[in-house]
Amino acid sequence: MKLEAVILENFRRYRGQHRISIAEFTTVIGRNDAGKSTIMEALDIFFGGVTKLDKEDLSRGTEGDELRIGVVFSGFPEELTIDRGAMTSLANEHLLNEDGNLEVYKTFNTRPARITTKVSARAMHPSLEAVRNLLALKNTDLKALVRDRDLAAGCDLNNNPSMRRALYHASAGELALVPTDVSLAEGDGAGIWKALERYLPVFTLFKSDRVSTDQDPEAQNPMKAAVARAVADLSNELEEMADQVRTMVEETARRTIEQMQASYPDMRLANELTPKFQEPKWSSIFKIDLSADDGIPLNKRGSGVRRLILMSFFQSEASRLRAERDAAQEHNVPIIYAIEEPETSQHPDNQARIVEALRAVVSAGDQVLITTHNPSLAELLPVESIRFVDEEPGSDKVRVRIADDDVLAEVADTLGVLPASVPSTGIRVAVLTEGKTDIDALLNLYDVLTASGDLMPFDLDMVFWAMGGGSTVKDWIERQYLNKLGIPQVVIVDSDRDTPAGPTSSKARDIVAMVEDEDNITAIVTEKREIENYIHPDVLVRVSNGTLEFDGAWNMDHDRLPNRLGEAITAARAVRRVEFAPVTRDGAAMPSLDATKGHCKRVITSYLFSQMTADEVKARSTRPDGSCEVVAWLDSIGQHVR
C-alpha cells in the first residue's frame, strides 16, 4: 500500500482540516516551529509508533473535544479475508473514496480521563436506509434482511460478505452513494480493518532530537525498522503460531476454570472467570543491538557517526530490495521512512550522499518523508518533493503548499538560500546547466576532445559550474541570482525536440527569451533532444562486451535515451549475463543493472561519455556545415578563460 496523503484535523497548529499530499519522496520545508514535525508525529500516532497523543494535541480554539488524523492509500489488496475465511473487497463493501482510494481516519476524543479512539473510512457509501449500515450488522440480522427480501437463494447465509453483496445488488439502482464516515470499529468493519492492518506500510520515525541513553534511538531505530520489516513479511507464519498458542492456552484456561467451578462451587469468582487471550506485539519481542569492536558504546560516539549508521541502513535496505525486485520477488508491505533533518551533524560532502541514499530507498519501492530547513540540503532536492509549511497571510493559520515557481520564491526567502559559494578570485565564467548530470557530461566531453587535440584546453578552475534549468530548488535559485555574481554566463539547455524539425520546448524558449537582451549571457539550446542524445551507440556495445546495445530502430537523436538504456538493460538481463561495470567520474562503482531513468541518465553522462572516442563525439555532433556542435559549446566557455 502506498501513502498518498495525510489529513490533519484540529491537531496542534492544524486547526480545521488540512490535506497534505505525499509523494514517493516528500520534503517538508519551513521555519522552526512552522509545523513540519507535526506531520511526522501525526503519522507516527496513526501507525501506532512511539509518539503518544495527549489532550494538549487538540488545537486551541477548537469547538468540541475531537481531533482526527487521516491517511489515504492506493495500492491496497484487491481481496481481504475476514471472519471464518470469508473473502471480500473494499470496492464490494463500498469503502473507497471518490478517487477510488482508501481513506481512513482515527478520531481521538480528548474529553474523557482516558483518550478514546475510533477508526472509520471516508467512503462513497450507500445512503439508502435499507442498506446503509450493513457492515455493522451481525450474521443473524443479515439473514433476516436477506430472507425478508427473498434473496437467500442467491447467496451464502453463513457468509456475511455474500449476503451484503446480494443486498447491495438488489438495490443497485437506488444505493445513492454519498461521502460517509463508515465505522471500522464494529461488526465486519472491525474485521476488515484488522485484515487491512496486515498490509499497512511499516512507518518508522527518526527524530532529530539527541538522547544519551545506552539504547540510543539513532542507533537502535534502524534495527527496530529491520525487525518491523521481518515481522511484517512473516505475518502469516506468526499469526498461525499465535493461533496455535491461543488454542493451547485457552484449553488450559478452560480446564482450570472447570476444575475451580467443580471444586469450589460456592465461590462467585469461579463462575465469572473468562479466558482472554492478549494478541502478541511481535515487534516488541525481538530486539537487536549494535556494538563496536573496540568496546566503546555506540551512543558515546559522535552524533554524525550515529546518523551515518542510519544512512547506511537505508542504503543496505535499498540494495536488498532492489536485488529482490530483480529476482521478481514481491513485497506487500513497504516501509515509510520519516526522517527529521537527515543532514544533522553531517559534513557538507556527506549531505549529497545522504540525498542519493534516500533516493535509492525510494527507487527500491519504499517511501521517504523528510523535514529540513537547511539551505544546503534543500538545494539538492527535487521540486516535486517539496511541501512548504507557513502561515496564511495576515493570520496564524498554518498552510501546506506544493512547490511551484511562486512558492519556491518564498522558500528561497524563508531559508535564506543564495547561490553556492563562489571563490573571490579566479572565477571568470559561470556555466549554467539543467542538472549535475549535464555538468558531468560536459566535463567528460572536455576530457575526450582536449586529449585528441580537437579542443583547445582552458583552465577548468576558472569555471563556476551551476545548475539552473531543471527540477531542483538549486536550479531555480541560481537562475534567479547568478547574474549578481558579475561574471559572464553560458547557459546550456535541452531543446526537448521530439523530431529534427520539431519546436524547442517552451522551457528552452523562455530561458532564451529571458537572457536575449543580456550582453554577458550566452544561451545555447541543444540541437538534439537533450545532452544524453549525443552518446554514440557503439560505446555501449564496447564497454559491455557486446551484452548491451541500443536498438537500431530507436531514434538516437530524439528518443529519451535514459529510458531506452533502461529498456536495453531490462531486455538483456532477461536472456543473458550482462557484463557491465559503470563507474562515476571519481571512479566509484555504480549499480550495473539498475534500469531506472535517473540512474541510466547518470550512467550515460558520467560513464559512457567518458568512454567515447573523439571521433565518436564528432560523429554524433557534426553539423551539415562541418562544424562540431559539442566543440562549439565548450569553446563558448573557453573563450572567457583562455
Side-chain angles (χ1 to χ4, degrees), residues 49-79:
V50 297
T51 306
K52 302 304 178 186
L53 186 138
D54 60 44
K55 295 178 183 293
E56 297 301 316
D57 287 322
L58 180 68
S59 297
R60 296 191 178 183
T62 299
E63 294 183 6
D65 303 295
E66 290 187 344
L67 64 88
R68 301 213 302 172
I69 300 172
V71 292
V72 179
F73 293 111
S74 62
F76 41 81
E78 292 186 4
E79 287 190 324

Side-chain angles (χ1 to χ4, degrees), residues 509-580:
R509 294 195 300 271
D510 289 345
I511 290 175
V512 170
M514 183 190 310
V515 304
E516 63 182 352
D517 295 328
E518 301 290 337
D519 293 335
N520 67 335
I521 303 179
T522 302
I524 297 171
V525 179
T526 64
E527 295 176 11
K528 301 186 192 303
R529 183 188 191 98
E530 54 192 2
I531 204 164
E532 290 81 13
N533 291 90
Y534 291 82
I535 194 68
H536 198 289
D538 290 353
V539 69
L540 181 60
V541 177
R542 187 166 63 249
V543 301
S544 68
N545 197 25
T547 59
L548 289 175
E549 62 180 350
F550 289 107
D551 191 312
W554 291 340
N555 188 326
M556 294 295 292
D557 290 349
H558 299 287
D559 278 357
R560 296 181 185 275
L561 284 196
N563 292 347
R564 293 305 198 190
L565 176 58
E567 293 171 20
I569 290 173
T570 300
R573 71 184 179 191
V575 297
R576 70 176 73 91
R577 176 184 174 85
V578 177
E579 300 177 23
F580 190 42

Side-chain angles (χ1 to χ4, degrees), residues 263-486:
S263 301
Y264 311 100
D266 295 333
M267 287 190 65
R268 180 179 176 184
L269 179 63
N271 295 310
E272 293 179 350
L273 290 175
T274 302
K276 184 177 181 181
F277 184 81
Q278 293 186 349
E279 295 289 340
K281 188 173 182 180
W282 297 108
S283 59
S284 65
I285 296 174
F286 303 101
K287 297 184 182 298
I288 182 171
D289 292 335
L290 293 175
S291 60
D293 291 340
D294 58 10
I296 300 175
L298 204 55
N299 68 299
K300 302 298 183 184
R301 297 180 181 273
S303 57
V305 172
R306 299 198 303 268
R307 300 289 279 190
L308 285 181
I309 290 174
L310 178 63
M311 293 303 128
S312 298
F313 166 74
F314 292 149
Q315 291 170 296
S316 68
E317 280 294 279
S319 297
R320 179 183 69 82
L321 291 170
R322 188 182 298 111
E324 291 173 347
R325 182 192 63 196
D326 290 346
Q329 296 181 14
E330 296 294 332
H331 278 273
N332 292 325
V333 183
I335 287 184
I336 302 171
Y337 297 101
I339 313 149
E340 288 187 355
E341 302 172 20
E343 74 280 4
T344 300
S345 303
Q346 292 304 313
H347 186 279
D349 289 347
N350 283 339
Q351 293 182 6
R353 296 190 183 103
I354 287 170
V355 172
E356 287 303 311
L358 297 177
R359 282 176 167 163
V361 169
V362 170
S363 69
D366 287 331
Q367 288 180 267
V368 170
L369 176 64
I370 70 171
T371 66
T372 188
H373 48 69
N374 184 299
S376 298
L377 189 71
E379 293 169 356
L380 302 172
L381 299 168
V383 163
E384 60 270 17
S385 82
I386 292 175
R387 307 293 181 266
F388 182 45
V389 184
D390 66 348
E391 295 178 349
E392 294 281 359
S395 76
D396 62 351
K397 185 177 180 181
V398 69
R399 62 180 178 179
V400 182
R401 292 176 289 163
I402 298 175
D404 57 23
D405 276 356
D406 292 335
V407 172
L408 289 177
E410 297 180 49
V411 172
D413 181 63
T414 298
L415 299 185
V417 183
L418 293 173
S421 299
V422 180
S424 59
T425 60
I427 296 298
R428 302 280 294 278
V429 63
V431 179
L432 190 58
T433 71
E434 293 202 41
K436 182 181 181 299
T437 55
D438 292 341
I439 296 174
D440 287 342
L442 292 170
L443 290 172
N444 280 325
L445 291 168
Y446 171 89
D447 290 343
V448 171
L449 293 171
T450 54
S452 67
D454 290 286
L455 176 69
M456 185 184 301
F458 52 85
D459 190 347
L460 292 175
D461 289 337
M462 295 184 179
V463 181
F464 172 55
W465 300 95
M467 298 172 286
S471 59
T472 64
V473 177
K474 190 172 185 178
D475 295 340
W476 183 92
I477 293 166
E478 289 182 345
R479 190 168 70 239
Q480 297 295 316
Y481 292 108
L482 203 56
N483 56 352
K484 296 182 180 180
L485 301 177

Side-chain angles (χ1 to χ4, degrees), residues 79-89 92-94 131 134-135 137-139 141-147 149-171 188 192:
E79 287 190 324
L80 294 169
T81 302
I82 55 175
D83 189 41
R84 299 187 188 89
M87 302 294 294
T88 189
S89 70
N92 285 342
E93 302 290 359
H94 299 287
V131 293
L134 296 186
L135 269 177
L137 298 183
K138 296 179 180 179
N139 181 265
D141 297 323
L142 287 171
K143 284 179 180 176
L145 282 177
V146 166
R147 286 167 176 158
R149 299 193 63 176
D150 197 23
L151 300 173
C155 60
D156 181 351
L157 296 180
N158 293 314
N159 185 303
N160 289 0
S162 175
M163 288 190 284
R164 283 193 294 271
R165 283 196 297 272
L167 289 165
Y168 286 139
H169 183 72
S171 306
D188 277 353
I192 288 172

